[in-house]
């Protein structure tokens, strides 16, 4: 029996965290495709039983992979908001965030996010929150940028920014025309700046 695995033992959070980080790194590099637990476990130098023990199923592991990706990115975003001499604004955030998303080294992770969206669209009940959580996250970003919550207006702004950013990211993945898509993101940032001035 694998020394790491025993149904009688409580889960070891350190082992689970290590497996999750390794799984995130692996699928970023290799994508999902028809990936199953057995070859993934082999690549992680463990076995499928261990992955099932810690994550329940392939779907459970994929949910945790997406959550882990978001947590990694959120840590970087929070760090960015904390730095700087002046309060960060939403247009500044959009430009900085797009610079990160459109960087060549970010493309594998960006493709993975869309793969995970696709499997969640096919079977949303197995992936609760995957499709809904981004809207709530963008609402929190708007508040973090110092824009007061305005209930329905806040949801509309978050919807627009989420849809625009996701659409431009997909366009970048599909067409690889970074200059054109970055120009479109700059127009969005300028619109947000104009709207902020006009509502004061």
């Amino acid at each position: 029996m694998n020394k790491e695995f025993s149904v009688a033992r409580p889960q070891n959070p350190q082992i689970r965290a290590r497996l999750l980080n390794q799984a995130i790194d692996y699928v970023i590099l290799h994508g999902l495709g028809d990936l199953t637990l057995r070859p993934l476990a082999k690549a992680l130098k463990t076995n499928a039983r261990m992955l099932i023990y810690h994550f329940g199923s392939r779907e459970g592991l994929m949910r945790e992979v997406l959550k882990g990706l978001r947590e990694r990115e959120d840590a970087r975003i929070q760090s960015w908001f904390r730095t700087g001499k002046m309060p960060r604004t939403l247009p500044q955030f959009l430009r900085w965030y797009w610079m990160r998303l459109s960087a060549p080294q970010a493309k594998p992770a960006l493709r993975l996010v869309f793969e995970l969206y696709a499997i969640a669209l096919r079977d949303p009940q197995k992936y609760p929150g995957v499709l809904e959580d981004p809207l709530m996250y963008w609402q929190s970003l708007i508040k973090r940028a110092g824009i007061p919550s305005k209930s329905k207006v806040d949801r509309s702004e978050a919807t627009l920014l989420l849809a625009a950013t996701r659409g431009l990211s997909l366009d970048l993945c599909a067409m690889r025309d970074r200059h054109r898509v970055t120009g479109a993101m700059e127009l969005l940032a300028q619109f947000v700046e104009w709207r902020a001035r006009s509502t004061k």
Side-chain angles (χ1 to χ4, degrees), residues 38-59:
R38 197 173 297 274
L40 176 59
K42 184 177 180 180
L44 302 185
K45 298 181 180 179
T46 184
N47 56 61
R49 289 192 309 167
M50 273 293 292
L51 296 180
I52 291 172
Y53 175 60
H54 284 287
F55 302 102
S57 63
R58 178 182 183 273
E59 290 81 10

Side-chain angles (χ1 to χ4, degrees), residues 133-161:
D133 289 350
L135 177 60
M136 291 185 290
Y137 186 69
W138 272 94
Q139 286 180 268
S140 72
L141 286 175
I142 289 173
K143 294 175 185 177
R144 199 179 299 174
I147 299 175
S149 175
K150 301 174 185 175
S151 186
K152 293 181 180 179
V153 176
D154 184 36
R155 284 178 59 85
S156 297
E157 290 173 343
T159 299
L160 174 62
L161 295 174

Side-chain angles (χ1 to χ4, degrees), residues 58-182:
R58 178 182 183 273
E59 290 81 10
L61 176 58
M62 292 303 102
R63 287 195 299 269
E64 291 299 308
V65 164
L66 181 56
K67 180 182 176 183
L69 281 171
R70 287 175 176 167
E71 288 176 349
R72 287 184 182 185
E73 187 62 20
D74 187 57
R76 298 184 182 100
I77 289 171
Q78 290 191 44
S79 176
W80 181 82
F81 271 107
R82 287 193 299 266
T83 60
K85 296 181 180 179
M86 298 180 63
R88 301 291 197 176
T89 67
L90 191 57
Q92 287 174 335
F93 170 74
L94 288 172
R95 293 181 175 107
W96 171 83
Y97 188 52
W98 182 253
M99 183 176 65
R100 285 187 48 76
L101 287 182
S102 62
Q105 60 268 29
K107 286 183 181 179
L110 203 56
R111 287 195 296 265
L112 175 60
V113 169
F114 283 114
E115 285 188 86
L116 289 165
Y117 276 144
I119 63 174
L121 283 168
R122 288 197 297 270
D123 200 345
Q125 291 186 341
K126 287 185 177 179
Y127 299 90
V130 170
L131 302 177
E132 299 87 357
D133 289 350
L135 177 60
M136 291 185 290
Y137 186 69
W138 272 94
Q139 286 180 268
S140 72
L141 286 175
I142 289 173
K143 294 175 185 177
R144 199 179 299 174
I147 299 175
S149 175
K150 301 174 185 175
S151 186
K152 293 181 180 179
V153 176
D154 184 36
R155 284 178 59 85
S156 297
E157 290 173 343
T159 299
L160 174 62
L161 295 174
L162 168 62
T165 305
R166 188 156 53 190
L168 292 173
S169 299
L170 182 58
D171 191 352
L172 181 65
C173 287
M175 304 301 292
R176 302 178 184 179
D177 188 345
R178 188 171 185 265
H179 180 75
R180 174 180 59 82
V181 184
T182 297

